[in-house]
Amino acid sequence: MKERRTIKIFDSMVKSNSILVGFSLVLLFFFIIYSQNIWLFRTWLNSTRFFSSYETVLRSYNFDMFIIILIPLLGAIFELLFGERLSSNRDKSIIYMGFVEIVYILSIYPKVLAGMIDFEIPGIFGVGFFFRIDMLAYSVLLVSSFVWFYVMIYAHEYMKKEKHGTRFFFFLALTYSAVLGTICSGDLLAMFLFFEIMTITSYMLVIHGQKEESYKAGYNYIIMGLIGGFLILTALILIYFNFGDLRFSSKIAELENFGNLKYWIMGLLVLGFGIKAGMAPVHVWLPRAHPVAPTPASALLSGVMIKIGAYGILRVAVSYYFPSRDTITSINDPLWLSVNNIGAIIIWTGIITMALGAFMALMQENIKKLLAYSSVSQMGYIVVSIGTALYLGYEGATGYTGAIYHIFNHALFKSLLFMVAGVIYFHTKELNMYKLGGIAKKLPFTTVVFFIAMLGIIGMPLFNGYVSKTFIHHGITEAAHINSSFYIAEVMYIVVSCMTVTYFMKMFYYVFIKKNESEYADLVFDISSLDLALGSIALIIIGVGLNPGFVLNNLIAPQLLSATYDIGFVNSHILHMNIFNLEDIFLSLGIIIVGIIIFIVAKRYKLLNVKLPKWLSIEYLFFYPAYWLMRNICVLVYGSNCPYKKEELLKLTDRDTDKLGFIDRFVITTNVLNQRYEQSIIRSDALIYTFFITLLLIYLLVKSLLI
Amino acid sequence: MNIEQLPIINLLLFLLMALVIPLLKRKPFKITLILGFVVLGLVLISSGYLLWYVNNVEVIHYTFGGHEARFGIEFIVDPFSALFTTIIAGLAAIIYIYSSGDATEGIEKTEYGRYYVLLFILLMSMFGILYTNDLFNTYVFIEILSITTCAIISIKKKKDTYTSAFRYVMMNELGSLSYLFGVALIYMATGFTNITLISESIQNAYASYPVNIIVALGFMIIGLGIKAAIFPFHIWLPDAHSAAPSTSSAILSAIVIKVYILVLVKVLFRVFKLDILNEMNISTILLVLAGVAMIMGSVFAIAQKDVKRMLGYSSVAQMGYILLGIGLLSFEGLRAAFFHILSHGLMKTALFLSVGEIIYYKKTRKVNDFDGMGFIMPVAMGVFSIAALGMIGIPLTSGFISKLNLGVAVLDQNQIIFLVILIVSSLLNVIYYLPIIILAFLKNEKYRYRLKSIEPTPRTMIAPLVLLGVLIVVVGLFPNQIMIFIEAAANSLLP
């Protein structure tokens, strides 16, 4: 019996949302033809009187970043004011705010292209704040604002099934503001400030479900985020002390004389931002936090926020650690040496990250977890590319391009993939892929969208991921030309790409294709704001894939030309490169075919359900020895009546890391120590006094009289 | 009236107020409160004026009874003492407003008057300690201070408060006597108790009686260390803090222990001077003490179940920060330490007062009972959160500026290991402050629907809390204006 399909419209706002989404796509279209000067559109527009007066107005002020940061804040305030009464008002204020943001960011393009926008607030914090929008910031702003807008449209529909929508949207808007602030900042202090705000406000998004597991994951998230913040703070103090200035400008000439300190500073910064970027080995928060957050939040966490970490690494690397343009004439300049060393380390961290993420993703059965580990793996690609951008020094433009381009692409397809997972959950309340199946029949549109995103992420030619992956690959091969040990990196890159194909095939097969007993009979084919968001991002993915020149020539090229890169090299290897080179196409097609074969073989022999044993976690490996030590010392000293509380101490041996995290174990250890020693320290007051005064006097007398 | 007499008038005002309170016993208590507030306001204005005066015109010297400094007692109002008296008066005024809002929790009604008498004597002695330029006179004021503190700790008539007050008195007597012993040894070697005169002859005395000077220094550091609750000598503090009423815990933690560390600063930088300190490598000793305090204070705080004890241990850790700045024996270090005295004063006051309000209404001090508290007492928990984030060192709060300055100061002396300790200690702060905030605002849904039944809190309790919250952020945003005075104070201590 074949059931007739009807299209149902549940959502009252779907009409206005469609108009807005349509507008945003049209704007993007005009933006593309303006920036690429298709049909001489730009020439024509520049010649009009309206446009020239518009440009004069645009150039008459320089506080654009405040407008950019304030728009979401205003949205948040409106949302609080009007959201109490009607949920559609609340959603409208958020969606319109996102739209205004897009319009504003698009409109300042001519200004950014003409030169960067600087703004300074002296005196605040005792150090002063500095903001800057250059082309690098602008590219990230552009992609973040688009992704954010579509996720807002999506969230409007999705959050109807969740509680506390007002709080969620409020913190979403605050996080947006912080993200934009991080991107616009022109010195490390401003970046640090907004970064911390982002950590705290996005925490509220992670724990939104308010279940026990979301608290656990959220605690992990915020603690790791704050640790990252402290690492950045340490680097900030080191830089501030040595330079008295935190602006993103070239400091390598002085840093060169610092010996190992320059590596320490960079290490702290990479690790600090890397925690947010999901870099191995500090990625542990990511696969926990992403699945428990509501889907819009996980789409944004994966789509935008972890990119901010990568952006941070890239920003500090190419500003502090890059020689300035006028001091460098060739690749052989000694200033590049330390940059190269740092780059090599970053490449290897990236390789480890991408391998680990892909390996873990293969074993997951929760689709959101799979996507989260996939994010880790893809962040590895970006990190590798940043590494090659540094390692290759004067000719590292390919790496730089690959990093930015992949940030761009990954923001698009990973947010889309998470939203697809959200749609599936929205309709079926199920995230385990082995229990799902047959979705393709029920939700054909969602399936097509997923397929597009998948083709994007596995690097299918003509889709967006192909271009960035090609650049990343070129970067690695160029590095391998210099140092042959990077051939291993290249092999790893190919293996990980195959694994990417495998785990996406796995997800695609189990969720969409495989037959399922429970046919989800009540699932109706509907059109809602969810599909609007999915469709528009899928369109952009195809558009970017078919027209790679847009991102390359109009967003990345100005950055490359102003950064300290060899202009001849940039021209020959990037701007005038044949992207659809046969060799590259065959490589990516080969990767895809091998990936599919691996999937078929692994499915046959049931290799996809292997699980790692639980004791193989950092928590257990770290605290079991601590437990063992404390216990045995205690038994040694007191014999059988050891005064530690046994049940507390025994918790340390728990193998389940989901139940007891690192911090919990640490707290238990301090509790045990406290119970044992606090009172005895307090009671031995006179003893401590005598002991210390004797010690001090002996030390002083010996020190000054005898020596 | 001569400007030189202003510091004496400050002291006299406090003393008079303490005398007047018992006389007003039969009048409504409100009169006492208003009068006390007027006194505090006057003192705040006059210390503020003095701060301006000494920074822009000249340092004020005043000798009692016109006696020469070597025989009589000399008061000096310089940027150092003027700055800290102003800070103390300001914090005390905020705490005073709060305590007038009926938050003298656990004190019997008939004891109210006594509480305020003690408070004003406490303030008088702290002003005296800061103004005086005489080591023995400092000792006298220290004794007044510790005895009044003891009386305040034991004002609640309960058994455990007596034990903790007894422990406090014993430990602090050890401290005072050690200090006095140091003073005596210095007097023996130099023949003076006036700080200026000692500092002129300390080098000669050190050359001829080195043992005297060394032993004096050792005893004074340990003695004042006990009173300032530096780590291994902090033992009296957690009990005393949890026993005292919240307002006096705030005064103890935010002001009183700071005064002792300021005495230590005076002793180190004005009496012994940098040459002797460097020769004896005092810097290392202080830094080791500070590092241990910063870590161990926080470790013990993590394990506390009682929120006031937790805050007490947190103070121990924060005293480590201040001692770290002082122990660097440099301008940057002093500057960072002084700023942290102010910023910790603000944050710890805010923490104790907001916790005090919660204890007052909810009659609970267990950390685990804080779930959903953010919905019942939004203002109290909001200010608590701001202050706790400040303790962690999140930017936009004054705590961040403290950390930044301390970090720079540490690097300036090439003590990079202490930068690591600073960061680790901040991380430990996260571990015990953050769960409380999360618990209060995000857990226990059952209170969410009681938003309309927010407890009626007197405005006199809410206003100071809000003021503190705002001040923490303002100081965090615009530290430069205050930094001018702090730098002048640090400069007045260094040659």
Side-chain angles (χ1 to χ4, degrees), chain A residues 124-126 164 192-193 203 207 210 215 227 234 237 241 671 674 678 681-682 685 689 693 696 700 704, chain B residues 167 178 214 219 226 235 285 300 303-304 309 313 396 400 407 412 423 427 438 442-443 445 476-477 480:
Chain A
I124 203 162
F125 277 178
H164 309 321
F192 172 66
L193 168 73
Y203 168 77
I207 55 104
Q210 292 193 307
Y215 284 122
I227 291 176
T234 318
I237 292 173
F241 170 70
N671 273 338
N674 184 58
E678 191 195 10
I681 289 180
I682 289 180
D685 37 17
Y689 171 76
I693 198 142
L696 183 63
L700 287 177
S704 53
Chain B
R167 175 162 287 132
S178 304
I214 291 164
F219 269 98
I226 291 176
I235 22 199
I285 296 166
F300 276 110
Q304 299 307 316
R309 276 184 88 89
Y313 273 113
L396 291 180
F400 170 71
D412 190 52
I423 299 297
L427 196 67
I438 295 171
L442 293 168
K443 290 217 171 147
E445 291 294 284
L477 273 177
N480 280 5

Side-chain angles (χ1 to χ4, degrees), chain A residues 427-651:
Chain A
H427 287 296
T428 63
K429 295 278 164 229
E430 184 60 67
L431 283 174
N432 188 329
M433 67 172 82
Y434 297 128
K435 291 182 185 162
L436 284 161
I439 299 288
K441 264 190 219 158
K442 291 291 171 187
L443 299 168
F445 181 72
T446 314
T447 315
V448 171
V449 166
F450 178 83
F451 198 65
I452 292 170
M454 188 174 100
L455 292 181
I457 201 169
I458 63 180
M460 184 76 179
L462 295 183
F463 287 86
N464 61 353
Y466 166 75
V467 189
S468 51
K469 288 200 173 182
T470 305
F471 276 115
I472 294 170
H473 182 233
H474 282 194
I476 300 175
T477 43
E478 277 161 31
H481 282 308
I482 295 176
N483 185 339
S484 53
S485 72
F486 286 109
Y487 278 119
I488 304 170
E490 196 187 349
V491 173
M492 290 291 280
Y493 166 84
I494 292 172
V495 170
V496 170
S497 299
C498 292
M499 278 157 88
T500 312
V501 179
T502 311
Y503 64 72
F504 271 104
M505 278 311 294
K506 178 189 171 194
M507 182 171 166
F508 187 62
Y509 174 77
Y510 281 108
V511 176
F512 292 98
I513 307 289
K514 200 190 75 169
K515 288 261 183 304
N516 192 342
E517 306 84 50
S518 61
E519 278 282 293
Y520 300 114
D522 53 335
L523 225 166
V524 280
F525 184 58
D526 62 340
I527 172 129
S528 63
S529 303
L530 298 178
D531 302 314
L532 277 177
L534 297 183
S536 33
I537 295 191
L539 270 181
I540 297 178
I541 287 180
I542 295 173
V544 171
L546 292 178
N547 181 9
F550 161 60
V551 179
L552 219 48
N553 293 330
N554 302 304
L555 295 175
I556 298 178
Q559 300 170 34
L560 294 176
L561 296 178
S562 65
T564 315
Y565 282 127
D566 186 352
I567 293 178
F569 180 84
V570 169
N571 275 323
S572 62
H573 281 71
I574 290 160
L575 301 182
H576 300 290
M577 191 190 79
N578 182 14
I579 292 163
F580 297 103
N581 190 333
L582 272 186
E583 201 184 320
D584 293 327
I585 290 179
F586 281 132
L587 179 71
S588 57
L589 286 180
I591 285 173
I592 291 171
I593 291 165
V594 172
I596 293 173
I597 292 171
I598 294 176
F599 168 69
I600 292 167
V601 172
K603 193 180 149 274
R604 184 82 182 269
Y605 296 102
K606 299 208 183 325
L607 291 175
L608 293 171
N609 312 12
V610 184
K611 288 253 153 52
L612 280 184
K614 283 207 159 151
W615 54 265
L616 205 72
S617 65
I618 307 167
E619 284 95 342
Y620 185 74
L621 291 180
F622 190 83
F623 276 101
Y624 192 79
Y627 159 79
W628 188 87
L629 218 91
M630 275 163 73
R631 213 189 130 59
N632 283 296
I633 289 176
C634 186
V635 169
L636 259 179
V637 177
Y638 295 95
S640 55
N641 50 351
C642 169
Y644 289 134
K645 273 203 176 173
K646 280 238 175 61
E647 56 270 37
E648 287 269 303
L649 203 55
L650 269 178
K651 280 188 198 159

Side-chain angles (χ1 to χ4, degrees), chain B residues 10 27 34 39 52 65-66 93-94 107 119 137 157 188 204 222 240 278 281 303 310 332 357 383 389 431 441 472 487:
Chain B
N10 283 347
K27 298 271 178 350
I34 292 171
V39 165
W52 175 85
I94 292 173
I107 307 174
L119 182 66
N137 194 231
K157 296 193 166 162
M188 191 178 145
N204 294 332
I222 299 281
N278 286 334
N281 211 356
M310 192 197 87
E332 272 76 19
E357 199 192 323
V383 173
L389 290 178
I431 293 176
F441 281 106
I472 291 171
E487 280 172 1

Side-chain angles (χ1 to χ4, degrees), chain A residues 137-360:
Chain A
Y138 187 78
S139 328
V140 184
L141 274 183
L142 191 69
V143 66
S144 316
S145 63
F146 267 92
V147 168
W148 209 285
F149 173 63
Y150 295 128
V151 175
M152 296 283 188
I153 299 251
Y154 177 90
H156 144 72
E157 178 82 22
Y158 187 88
M159 293 310 287
K160 282 180 184 167
K161 289 200 179 176
E162 303 254 344
K163 283 187 202 161
H164 309 321
T166 314
R167 185 182 77 192
F168 182 79
F169 281 115
F170 178 70
F171 281 102
L172 202 61
L174 288 189
T175 313
Y176 192 18
S177 179
V179 165
L180 296 170
T182 319
I183 300 171
C184 293
S185 43
D187 65 9
L188 194 58
L189 182 65
M191 194 172 225
F192 172 66
L193 168 73
F194 284 109
F195 203 73
E196 291 280 75
I197 296 176
M198 185 176 89
T199 306
I200 292 169
T201 52
S202 57
Y203 168 77
M204 299 296 289
L205 306 178
V206 173
I207 55 104
H208 185 79
Q210 292 193 307
K211 279 173 255 154
E212 202 45 44
E213 50 169 359
S214 30
Y215 284 122
K216 283 255 158 70
Y219 194 57
N220 233 309
Y221 172 74
I222 194 158
I223 294 275
M224 302 248 348
L226 288 175
I227 291 176
F230 286 134
L231 296 178
I232 299 170
L233 175 64
T234 318
L236 187 151
I237 292 173
L238 284 168
I239 294 173
Y240 181 65
F241 170 70
N242 286 311
F243 295 99
D245 171 31
L246 289 165
R247 287 189 194 196
F248 290 131
S249 57
S250 175
K251 299 197 187 329
I252 186 71
E254 292 97 331
L255 278 169
E256 198 56 37
N257 312 323
F258 285 2
N260 280 331
L261 188 67
K262 60 175 179 278
Y263 298 120
W264 277 104
I265 294 177
M266 193 61 199
L268 286 166
L269 286 169
V270 168
L271 209 58
F273 285 114
I275 285 180
K276 195 47 114 252
M279 198 176 78
V282 284
H283 67 284
V284 284
W285 63 270
L286 195 148
R288 292 183 196 176
H290 285 207
V292 297
T295 305
S298 37
L300 289 175
L301 275 174
S302 245
V304 180
M305 269 175 258
I306 58 174
K307 304 303 176 320
I308 302 303
Y311 171 78
I313 298 177
L314 191 62
R315 178 60 99 182
V316 293
V318 300
S319 56
Y320 292 151
Y321 281 82
F322 253 44
S324 65
R325 168 135 247 169
D326 40 322
T327 58
I328 287 293
T329 47
S330 82
I331 190 166
N332 297 322
D333 200 289
L335 281 183
W336 288 111
L337 190 68
S338 48
V339 185
N340 294 353
N341 294 338
I342 292 166
I345 296 165
I346 296 181
I347 292 178
W348 286 115
T349 354
I351 293 284
I352 293 167
T353 310
M354 79 191 200
L356 189 86
F359 183 66
M360 294 302 290

Side-chain angles (χ1 to χ4, degrees), chain A residues 80-134:
Chain A
L80 274 194
L81 289 181
F82 303 117
E84 280 301 314
R85 263 174 278 151
L86 203 59
S87 72
S88 67
N89 278 348
R90 175 191 79 198
D91 298 359
K92 265 181 199 153
S93 60
I94 293 293
I95 289 171
Y96 292 165
M97 166 268 280
F99 186 70
V100 172
E101 190 74 61
I102 286 187
V103 173
Y104 190 78
I105 287 175
L106 287 181
S107 71
I108 59 169
Y109 179 72
K111 193 171 169 183
V112 181
L113 198 61
M116 44 191 132
I117 310 171
D118 288 348
F119 192 82
E120 192 177 4
I121 317 173
I124 203 162
F125 277 178
V127 179
F129 255 25
F130 188 63
F131 290 94
R132 163 174 288 174
I133 303 181
D134 54 3

